[in-house]
Amino acid sequence: MQSVYLDYNSTTPTDPDVVEAMLPYLREQWANPSSAHNPGNQVRRAIDRAREQVATLIGAAEPSEIIFTSGATESNNTAILSAIETLGAHASVITSPTEHAAVIGPVQWLEQRGQSVKWISVDENGQPDLEEVTSALKESPAALASFMWANNETGVLSPIEQLAEAAAEADAMFHTDAVQMAGKMPLSVKELPIHMLSLSAHKLCGPKGVGALYLRKGTRMKPFLRGGHQERARRAGTENVPAIIGFGKACEIAQKTMEQESSRVERLRNRLEEGILSSCKGAQLHGGGAQRLPNTLNIGFQQLDGEAILYMLDDQNVSVSTGSACESGSLEASHVLKAMGVERTYVNGAIRFSLGKYSADQDVDTVLERLPAIIDRCRSLAPQIKDES
Ligand SMILES: Cc1ncc(COP(=O)(O)O)c(C=O)c1O
């Protein structure tokens, strides 16, 4: 049975050219980039090339603005905790409830320790209320505003330009989690007043366990990991060299192919969306009223259990993700859909389909062949779930 992978927002297959680029740094060029000898210098130069490749993808003014990390979870933690350490105990964090757990976690941790946090409401598409942001900024003597560029569950884009400019007007710091945006749509960080931006390699066909924090030149920062001079003393620890090289290569490939790929993937996503909405009873699109990533589709199936749909699809070799299983593996309903005000009867039955580089028309055909029967079967098995919304 043909298998179909539509969970690219969780992680992506590693591009074979990325693997090839990494191999020499596992086999031959294993020297420590901090060593003063020749082999060490060669590895350090390779890291600097990767830094340029990452900087180019996001339009950073200088490669030195890129700090390699272990992934976006570390980048987000570093950005938020560093900003608060530099701004001081009186500073506020301004963010939204639809952020990824890697932002919500550190923000809640700060809140529990007495830091002021302003959670901004979002509209039915999950976009933050700009007026609320502006007044929260006005009320805060010092602030960090942190808003994701694209939502991982719905693909909805935030109005980053307006948010960053509002923060700049209030003299606040601005951070964005651009994990789902980078490599899928063009972005140029130097054109916006963004101080910090988080990236992860495994969302753009690079390896897992590596990411980056963009730190605009001149932005004050306190390292999250201390105890070494690596990354200009902004992130201690011997670099994950093969992964960094792979990340750089993945950025270079994304840069070259993004324009063509995004329209190809968008056409597939739209075909899948139309097909599901027209062939499955009680299906509702989430986030469709806003600009979205070209690859993401979030659909709620009324009165059904998303987990049951996921496992039935899995049984037929189709990999998707629910909108409800949160990162901790608990069966909590999606915090993103709840914040958007989606009715509970749809939140529980939400499925995220996320496409990517190796997705093809055949994958869409397969899902459209298999899903309607699964939905019918779930409906015949499901106890009538009461609408609690
Ligand atoms: C929006 C967003 N931010 C952060 C992360 C965490 O990234 P990493 O796996 O590199 O820690 C993810 C991954 O799921 C994500 O989708």
Side-chain angles (χ1 to χ4, degrees):
M1 194 187 273
Q2 189 216 338
S3 58
V4 176
Y5 183 78
L6 295 184
D7 199 15
Y8 276 74
N9 286 10
S10 265
T11 199
T12 56
T14 320
D15 187 308
D17 289 340
V18 167
V19 176
E20 281 304 316
M22 291 169 69
L23 287 176
Y25 296 89
L26 286 162
R27 288 191 176 129
E28 298 101 20
Q29 294 187 264
W30 38 257
N32 190 325
S34 297
S35 298
H37 46 63
N38 244 330
N41 285 336
Q42 278 176 22
V43 174
R44 190 175 38 73
R45 281 198 291 274
I47 290 184
D48 286 339
R49 265 197 311 279
R51 205 182 300 285
E52 279 168 29
Q53 288 162 320
V54 177
T56 304
L57 179 70
I58 63 163
E62 291 180 20
S64 61
E65 294 175 319
I66 302 297
I67 304 169
F68 287 115
T69 65
S70 66
T73 302
E74 183 189 323
S75 304
N76 286 342
N77 273 270
T78 307
I80 292 161
L81 301 179
S82 156
I84 291 306
E85 214 181 320
T86 52
L87 292 170
H90 61 294
S92 301
V93 184
I94 300 169
T95 190
S96 114
T98 57
E99 291 293 312
H100 188 271
V103 164
I104 292 183
V107 172
Q108 283 178 338
W109 185 85
L110 286 167
E111 195 172 28
Q112 281 154 15
R113 275 152 190 79
Q115 200 80 39
S116 148
V117 176
K118 294 176 179 164
W119 297 97
I120 302 299
S121 353
V122 296
D123 65 13
E124 70 278 10
N125 291 304
Q127 292 184 310
D129 184 321
L130 282 168
E131 277 178 29
E132 236 183 83
V133 174
T134 311
S135 58
L137 284 163
K138 270 196 196 128
E139 286 161 14
S140 312
L144 163 72
S146 179
F147 291 94
M148 70 203 314
W149 205 312
N151 188 274
N152 48 300
E153 288 191 29
T154 60
V156 168
L157 305 190
S158 300
I160 284 296
E161 218 176 294
Q162 286 107 305
L163 289 164
E165 264 149 25
E169 257 169 53
D171 222 7
M173 288 187 78
F174 191 80
H175 164 249
T176 181
D177 175 340
V179 164
Q180 296 292 346
M181 178 75 178
K184 293 187 185 120
M185 292 177 83
L187 71 92
S188 179
V189 80
K190 66 172 170 279
E191 275 152 36
L192 294 172
I194 292 173
H195 296 96
M196 295 175 290
L197 177 147
S198 302
L199 297 169
S200 178
H202 73 103
K203 309 290 183 176
L204 47 100
C205 299
K208 292 167 188 57
V210 64
L213 176 66
Y214 158 84
L215 183 77
R216 183 177 288 265
K217 194 176 175 186
T219 306
R220 283 168 63 211
M221 92 80 78
K222 301 276 183 189
F224 182 55
L225 293 182
R226 295 179 165 96
H229 58 274
Q230 292 88 351
E231 299 296 284
R232 298 175 174 219
R234 297 172 299 182
R235 198 273 185 182
T238 302
E239 298 86 342
N240 183 352
V241 176
I244 288 172
I245 304 302
F247 184 16
K249 184 70 184 175
C251 288
E252 184 194 278
I253 297 170
Q255 176 78 26
K256 284 188 193 141
T257 57
M258 188 180 345
E259 203 182 321
Q260 215 183 335
E261 263 304 290
S262 67
S263 49
R264 188 190 72 83
V265 167
E266 187 167 29
R267 186 188 64 76
L268 294 177
R269 191 275 311 269
N270 291 348
R271 199 159 81 72
L272 183 65
E273 178 177 315
E274 283 154 25
I276 295 175
L277 293 176
S278 62
S279 64
C280 297
K281 266 182 267 153
Q284 163 179 291
L285 175 65
H286 298 141
Q291 207 195 339
R292 279 177 297 160
L293 290 173
N295 79 317
T296 310
L297 174 61
N298 190 306
I299 291 190
F301 297 92
Q302 190 183 20
Q303 291 200 325
L304 295 186
D305 175 14
E307 295 284 303
I309 301 170
L310 181 145
Y311 290 123
M312 285 196 189
L313 280 169
D314 192 36
D315 225 33
Q316 299 203 20
N317 290 348
V318 176
S319 306
V320 296
S321 157
T322 62
S324 60
C326 81
E327 294 78 359
S328 65
S330 80
L331 296 180
E332 274 277 302
S334 155
H335 68 283
V336 174
L337 299 179
K338 281 202 289 192
M340 287 162 63
V342 174
E343 286 174 70
R344 196 166 181 92
T345 173
Y346 287 101
V347 173
N348 291 336
I351 294 287
R352 178 186 70 189
F353 304 86
S354 49
L355 295 79
K357 191 170 192 159
Y358 304 103
S359 304
D361 271 301
Q362 210 187 346
D363 297 321
V364 174
D365 295 339
T366 306
V367 175
L368 294 179
E369 253 164 52
R370 296 177 194 169
L371 185 65
I374 287 175
I375 297 300
D376 284 347
R377 181 151 166 71
C378 284
R379 286 209 185 287
S380 68
L381 294 173
Q384 289 301 297
I385 302 164
K386 260 181 103 189
D387 185 358
E388 295 161 21
S389 62

